[in-house]
Each structure stands twice: as C-alpha cells, then as structure tokens.
Amino acid sequence: MAFPSLFRASSRPAGGRRAGLRGVVLAALAFGSGLLVSNNPFRPSSTNPDATARGYLRFKEVLSYVDRDYVDSVNTEGLADYATTQMLERLDPHSVYIPALEREQNDAFLQGDFDGVGIEFNLFRDTMTVVAPLGGGAAAQAGLLPGDQVLRVGGAPVSGAGLATARITQLLRGPRGSTVALEVRRPQPTKTFTLNLVRARVANSSIDAAYLVDEQTGYIKLSRFAANTADEFRAALADLRRQGMARLVLDLRGNPGGYLDRATRVADEFVAGSRKIVSVDGKGDTYDAQTYAKVPGEFEEGPLVVLIDEGSASAAEVVAGALQDHDRALLVGRRTFGKGLVQQPIALSDGGELRLTIARYYTPSGRSIQKPYGGSRAAYRRELSERAARGELASADSNHVAAGPRFRTDSGRPVYGGGGIMPDVFVARDTLACSAYFTRLQAHHVPRALALAFYQAHKTELEGLRFAQFNATFRVSDAQLTALAAAAARDGVAPDAAALRRCAPLLRNQLKAYIAQSAYGTVPYYTVLREQDAELQRALHSLGDGNTQLALAGNK
C-alpha cells in the first residue's frame, strides 16, 4: 500500500517499548517473584533466640554510637537500609528489602486494577508520549490518541523536565473521582489543548492477548501472575472455547512470575483429576505444602503448546514444569530463568517490606528449578549473559542443565532439575533481534517513536481501512527504512548500512505491528508480529501436526 511517507521531517521521534509498570519491572520481578500470600506477624526466633538477641543488641549499640558520636552528621535510616540490604545479600539473590517509597510501585505490578486516567506511555527524547489510552479509561473516553504528547499533568511539567517514569505515574494516579488536568500537544495536525480527566478504576489485566489464530487454534499471552490472573485466564479460556478453540498456544515468554497460588490455579485449568502441581518445602514444616489439581479445568484435554524462554521465571516455571511433568503440554523455546525459591512478603513497621525466601518449590516429578547462587548477586545476574556467551541460546546441545539430576515425567521421558525448565523443542534465539544495531534502535525507542508519528500523520487513511486490508497491502519500503536509520542517527545511533540490511525484515515487521496496534488494537499487533516469531511459528507447526503427544512420545 502506498502511503505518502512513513516519516515526515517535522515529526518528533517518540520511541519506545511498552511503558508504565509493564516495561520496567522484569528485572526486579525476576529477583522477587514466586510470592506466597499470607500474614506473617513479627515474632522472635524460637530456634536461636539468644544469638538473635545478641545480634540485634550489637547493631542497635553500634548505630546509636554512630548517630551520637560520629564526626559528621549521618542519615541513620539510610545506614540501617544499607545494613539490611547487605545482610540479605548473604542469604540468596531473591531475599530483598523494599523501602516504603518503592513498595507501592513494586506492588502495583501485581494489582488487578488501579485508580488513574488510563494511559500507557513512554518517555521519548524526554517527552511523555502516549503509546495507547487504556480501554475504558478516562483518557480513551476523552479522545486521547497514540502519539499525543503530554506537556503537563496537574500543572506540573512532565516533558522536558527530566522526570522518571515512576514519578509521572504518581502524578497520573490518585483517588478515584478526583480530577486532573492534562495539557496535550497533538503533532498531526499541530495543536495544543487541555483535558480535564476524572480518575477512575482502570483494569490492569495480566493477559496481553487472547484470540484465535485460526478457526481451531487459540493463543493466550500471559504477562505475569497478578491478583486477578486466575479469573481472567479462566474467562479467556472459556471465551476461546465458545469460539471453537480445539488447541492452544500458551505464551509464557518473558513472564517473570508473581503470586504462586494464581499460577497453580492456571495450571489446574489444564491438569485433570487430582494430580500434583507443585510442592513447597521450607524450614521445618511451617511452609511445607503440596498443591494438587482440584477443579474441572476449562482445557484438560486437547493439544497444548507452551512457549518459554530465558525470561520465564518463578511462578511461570511452576506452570511449565507441572505441564511438562504430566506430559500435558509440549514446551517450545529455550531454557527458563531458573528461579525455584518462594518469597514471603512481610510488611514492616516503617512501611517497607521484607520479601524473605522461606521455601523452595519442586515440580511434580521432584525437580528443583532453582539455578546455583553460591556466588555474588552480580554473578547471579550475569548468568543469563553467560548462557549466551556459551552458545546456550543458539544450540540445545550447549545447555549444561542436562548434567543435573535426572527425573521422569508421567510417561517416562527424562527431565532435569537444578537450573530452569528445558523445553521439549528447542528454538534458537533470533541473532538479528539481539544484534548490536537492532538492540541500540530499541534502546533509543526509534521504531516505536516513528510508528506513532506515522499513525498521527495518517490516521484518516488508516480509519478508512479494515485491518485485513491493511495487513494484506501495507509494506514498509526501503526508503522508509532509510528514514528510520536517519532518525536513529539524530538520536545518537551510529549509521550501519550493512546491519540495517540484515535487520530489515525484523524492522519492517516491527514497524508494521506498532502501526497496527495504534490503529486497530492489540490482536492486530500480535497478528503482524507472528510473521517473524520463530518460537510461535514452531508451536503452530507442532499443533498443525495434529497430535502434540506424538512429539512428546518421541522424546522418551
């Protein structure tokens, strides 16, 4: 399709990945997910009370002397925070202290809803730019569009002000029923206006997409295990079944985990009878538990493929491990993160929160998924990059997890513990997607920014097309890719003509998907992305074979 130009010289780049809470918490949750929900009031240690008391008195005494006699004034609360953090680093990589000021932001990711105006945004060149107004929110009802630039929130400047995403989120949120004014600049055609929005409840769904790929094949993208995930997931499954779904792809790639009980309820939708889903084993028997399937699930029979990768962690690994151990699903992708520790969130008197590792979880066959963590936390964080350096993301044969303890699935297939979940079908990571040039483009948010600019410039033409027409006819030209490279160069990404040619198929697909999302919504976005998604294509191929159980049997 021949639109005049993908980018106009007057368009201001607005780039970016998905914003708000979804875009900033993956690393944090990978080090703090797999949460148990329960009350744990403070009580002294009963196993070693004397040593605990001596340690407490020693710290209290030292802190008191520092506060009273040290030559310079000191922030004693800051010192206590530092001491707490250092103490927890002697335990494991997932026991953490969250200060009161950060607790709300950490908790928000796992909430099922929040009070606000409903804007997904990114900061592009220090400009707050709307990626999408959330459905049903005040911003969408007021007519805010993707690509609109917000200059002020409640009188406070948010563009060109050097504010962090978290601070802008605080300004947008507030008590339900309260009003906030947004000063907005619309680039195409250029105009500035003010919207007075009433904050209301905004759904914070953990399901990014749920739709039929074809008449029989369902696809569900699950981003995390939050407060409402189990109910949302069951409703999505039921809706797809009503539409005729007979087989399913469950996408857990990049899912960092969340609430353990929500994960077991999701697994229960696929596991029949009363088979075990997960075991939790802690000190003594206080936290020991075994969770079994207990309700009739929405999809206990029928071909099922689960997509996993190195970003699938914690509660996501519980689901994948249970379905693999019971030979219920074919796992496609790459080895998961390897987090098999369970955290107890404990509210502290200062408003902060201690997330303390209180148990390990085990898959039905007895596998511990937790990877080794004997070294420093820095070394633990480097483990994923070291996998890439060893070639693990390019070849199944390079994965060392097969040297771990061996277990058997229900049908006798060998599976291994001690370092994540290995897929049944390995798919190498796309080397172009992690190439230096492509990665720099993403870091500077260039493709998203220019796709939003295109949508703003051509929304009238797009409104006159059905998505099917757009998808069949729209193409990103070579000239438009050259314009993208020029915009990137203005943002500090050095030109690389050879790298641009190599990345061209991915960039064309990505730009088209971003435009489709702005013009037509979430499902069209994923529909376009599917063309360059190697793991999903392999999953669909497995389902197309007609019987994923044959593929499972072939792995005995």
Side-chain angles (χ1 to χ4, degrees):
M1 182 166 191
F3 283 124
S5 172
L6 183 56
F7 316 117
R8 295 185 176 178
S10 61
S11 297
R12 293 180 63 188
R17 286 167 279 185
R18 302 191 64 159
L21 293 167
R22 295 182 185 177
V24 297
V25 295
L26 175 58
L29 280 180
F31 286 87
S33 297
L35 301 178
L36 289 180
V37 182
S38 63
N39 183 32
N40 191 355
F42 171 74
R43 58 184 183 273
S45 169
S46 59
T47 57
N48 196 14
D50 292 341
T52 302
R54 287 195 299 270
Y56 166 74
L57 291 173
R58 183 185 307 117
F59 178 76
K60 178 181 177 182
E61 189 175 14
V62 170
L63 187 64
S64 297
Y65 276 116
V66 169
D67 184 41
R68 190 187 71 187
D69 298 330
Y70 185 66
V71 63
D72 296 321
S73 297
V74 295
N75 178 354
T76 52
E77 287 196 25
L79 289 175
D81 287 351
Y82 177 78
T84 300
T85 300
Q86 293 298 304
M87 175 179 63
L88 293 175
E89 287 193 0
R90 295 292 297 272
L91 303 179
D92 68 89
H94 300 285
S95 290
V96 295
Y97 166 68
I98 301 173
L101 293 177
E102 300 175 16
R103 184 178 176 185
E104 181 179 355
Q105 181 181 351
N106 278 271
D107 290 347
F109 186 70
L110 296 179
Q111 293 173 355
D113 56 61
F114 58 89
D115 291 340
V117 298
I119 298 176
E120 184 178 327
F121 69 91
N122 262 351
L123 290 174
F124 307 144
R125 285 189 174 178
D126 204 22
T127 299
M128 177 185 168
T129 305
V130 177
V131 172
L134 302 180
Q141 294 174 9
L144 208 64
L145 295 175
D148 284 348
Q149 298 166 347
V150 181
L151 307 180
R152 292 177 178 271
V153 176
V158 294
S159 290
L163 297 181
T165 297
R167 175 56 183 154
I168 297 176
T169 299
Q170 288 178 339
L171 293 172
L172 292 171
R173 296 188 179 186
R176 193 176 307 184
S178 60
T179 301
V180 61
L182 270 59
E183 184 181 341
V184 180
R185 178 184 182 273
R186 180 160 293 166
Q188 299 286 344
T190 302
K191 63 178 179 178
T192 301
F193 53 94
T194 299
L195 296 175
N196 291 304
L197 305 180
V198 179
R199 296 182 178 98
R201 176 188 174 277
V202 179
N204 188 24
S205 177
S206 54
I207 297 179
D208 288 351
Y211 68 99
L212 287 181
V213 175
D214 55 40
E215 292 182 354
Q216 298 184 67
T217 308
Y219 171 86
I220 298 179
K221 171 67 174 177
L222 190 56
S223 65
R224 65 199 186 281
F225 292 93
N228 292 348
T229 294
D231 294 335
E232 292 172 353
F233 190 78
R234 187 175 180 87
L237 275 177
D239 183 57
L240 291 176
R241 291 294 299 274
R242 284 192 292 270
Q243 296 180 52
M245 181 187 75
R247 52 200 186 193
L248 175 67
V249 176
L250 172 60
D251 193 344
L252 296 181
R253 291 174 297 179
N255 184 318
Y259 293 124
L260 186 60
D261 64 328
R262 273 60 164 192
T264 59
R265 288 174 60 188
V266 167
D268 200 355
E269 296 296 337
F270 304 110
V271 178
S274 58
R275 289 181 287 181
K276 186 185 296 184
I277 294 175
V278 67
S279 298
V280 176
D281 185 23
K283 182 188 292 185
D285 57 5
T286 303
Y287 298 107
D288 291 356
Q290 297 188 42
T291 301
Y292 295 84
K294 59 184 178 181
V295 299
E298 282 288 340
F299 198 66
E300 293 183 346
E301 296 182 356
L304 173 64
V305 173
V306 177
L307 297 179
I308 56 174
D309 66 7
E310 55 279 359
S312 307
S314 194
E317 294 174 287
V318 169
V319 174
L323 297 180
Q324 186 179 54
D325 281 1
H326 291 309
D327 300 294
R328 176 63 189 92
L330 185 75
L331 271 54
V332 173
R334 293 178 297 280
R335 180 161 67 102
T336 59
F337 182 87
K339 180 185 178 298
L341 301 176
V342 184
Q343 281 68 54
Q344 171 84 40
I346 304 168
L348 302 178
S349 59
D350 67 348
E353 182 176 87
L354 171 63
R355 292 190 176 177
L356 184 66
T357 297
I358 47 82
R360 292 179 172 83
Y361 60 66
Y362 297 85
T363 71
S365 67
R367 285 185 286 171
S368 170
I369 301 167
Q370 180 61 45
K371 60 187 177 183
Y373 57 85
S376 67
R377 292 198 179 194
Y380 190 78
R381 292 185 177 95
R382 289 196 302 269
E383 193 268 344
L384 289 183
S385 61
E386 289 172 354
R387 289 190 199 182
R390 291 193 299 265
E392 287 195 24
L393 305 184
S395 170
D397 293 337
S398 298
N399 280 271
H400 74 282
V401 72
R406 177 182 289 199
F407 299 84
R408 296 282 180 179
T409 69
D410 290 355
S411 68
R413 294 187 301 121
V415 288
Y416 301 89
I421 301 290
M422 273 295 291
D424 302 302
V425 177
F426 179 87
V427 179
R429 186 169 67 172
D430 190 333
T431 56
L432 292 179
C434 57
S435 64
Y437 185 71
F438 189 84
T439 301
R440 285 196 295 270
L441 290 178
Q442 309 312 307
H444 286 260
H445 313 301
V446 178
R448 170 76 89 175
L450 297 179
L452 286 171
F454 175 84
Y455 168 75
Q456 282 271 340
H458 300 287
K459 53 181 176 288
T460 301
E461 297 100 312
L462 292 167
E463 287 170 357
L465 291 175
R466 297 191 308 273
F467 169 67
Q469 293 174 299
F470 168 86
N471 196 34
T473 60
F474 181 79
R475 299 291 182 272
V476 176
S477 69
D478 291 341
Q480 291 162 345
L481 284 183
T482 301
L484 182 148
R490 291 193 296 272
D491 267 0
V493 180
D496 189 332
L500 180 65
R501 285 194 299 272
R502 289 193 297 271
C503 296
L506 283 179
L507 288 171
R508 294 181 203 276
N509 182 254
Q510 187 181 55
L511 286 165
K512 183 177 178 179
Y514 282 150
I515 295 168
Q517 182 183 28
S518 297
Y520 306 105
T522 300
V523 171
Y525 168 76
Y526 281 98
T527 300
V528 173
L529 282 184
R530 193 166 67 230
E531 297 177 12
Q532 294 289 327
D533 190 335
E535 292 99 332
L536 181 53
Q537 290 297 329
R538 183 64 182 86
L540 295 174
H541 177 74
S542 297
L543 290 172
D545 291 342
N547 190 350
T548 56
Q549 297 304 313
L550 291 177
L552 290 172
N555 284 332
K556 283 188 181 180

